[in-house]
Amino acid sequence: VGTHKDQVKSSEEHQQISDVLLEILGDRLVEQVTPFAKEQEDGLWFYPIDNSLSGAQNPDPVVAELRQAIELVAKEDPEEYLERPIPIRWRGILDILLKQEESFLTMTEMKRMAAEQCLPAWQLMPMLEMFHEL
């Protein structure tokens, strides 16, 4: 998702960004992302969204298309992520991680956090592997 469409407005710029994403991410992008296609345009590998219209009476129409794409993927759920049972402590740790300002934590920090949340040490690696899949 590109959230600055108000600053990067032209279709040509959107296509350039899309091309760069494809060049850098290659097969990973093709395997994991459904291209966003507007009428009479080639598909883009991201959804250009104007966040400055958030909450407005006329929000960016691409937001509705993104919502629809997310709902479709969630319904298909080929890996059955939504059906996997997970320990409740994992959810608590995920909530803490999502509130972190840092993008990365050391394994020492993760072990400390897991201990503080009473997560058994043997569950740390399976939890991180599952979070990585998501």
Side-chain angles (χ1 to χ4, degrees), residues 79-96:
E79 300 293 327
E80 297 184 352
Y81 287 118
L82 301 177
E83 300 300 322
R84 289 186 189 177
I86 63 166
I88 196 75
R89 287 188 178 116
W90 291 18
R91 177 57 198 219
I93 291 173
L94 180 59
D95 289 343
I96 293 169

Side-chain angles (χ1 to χ4, degrees), residues 7-76:
Q7 296 171 10
V8 182
K9 297 178 181 179
S10 76
S11 295
E12 293 81 19
E13 290 174 303
H14 297 162
Q15 191 60 55
Q16 287 174 346
I17 293 167
S18 185
D19 292 344
V20 168
L21 288 171
L22 182 59
E23 182 180 321
I24 292 171
L25 299 174
D27 290 340
R28 289 183 293 169
L29 187 66
V30 173
E31 291 170 3
Q32 298 179 18
V33 177
T34 302
F36 167 61
K38 294 194 296 189
E39 286 184 40
Q40 302 178 9
E41 278 191 38
D42 291 332
L44 297 175
W45 291 104
F46 73 106
Y47 287 78
I49 293 176
D50 183 347
N51 271 357
S52 70
L53 299 176
S54 178
Q57 284 193 338
N58 297 316
D60 190 329
V62 177
V63 172
E65 294 182 48
L66 175 60
R67 246 189 227 115
Q68 188 175 33
I70 291 170
E71 288 173 5
L72 180 64
V73 170
K75 286 178 186 173
E76 290 175 0

Side-chain angles (χ1 to χ4, degrees), residues 85 100 119 127:
Q100 296 284 324
L119 182 75
M127 178 192 72

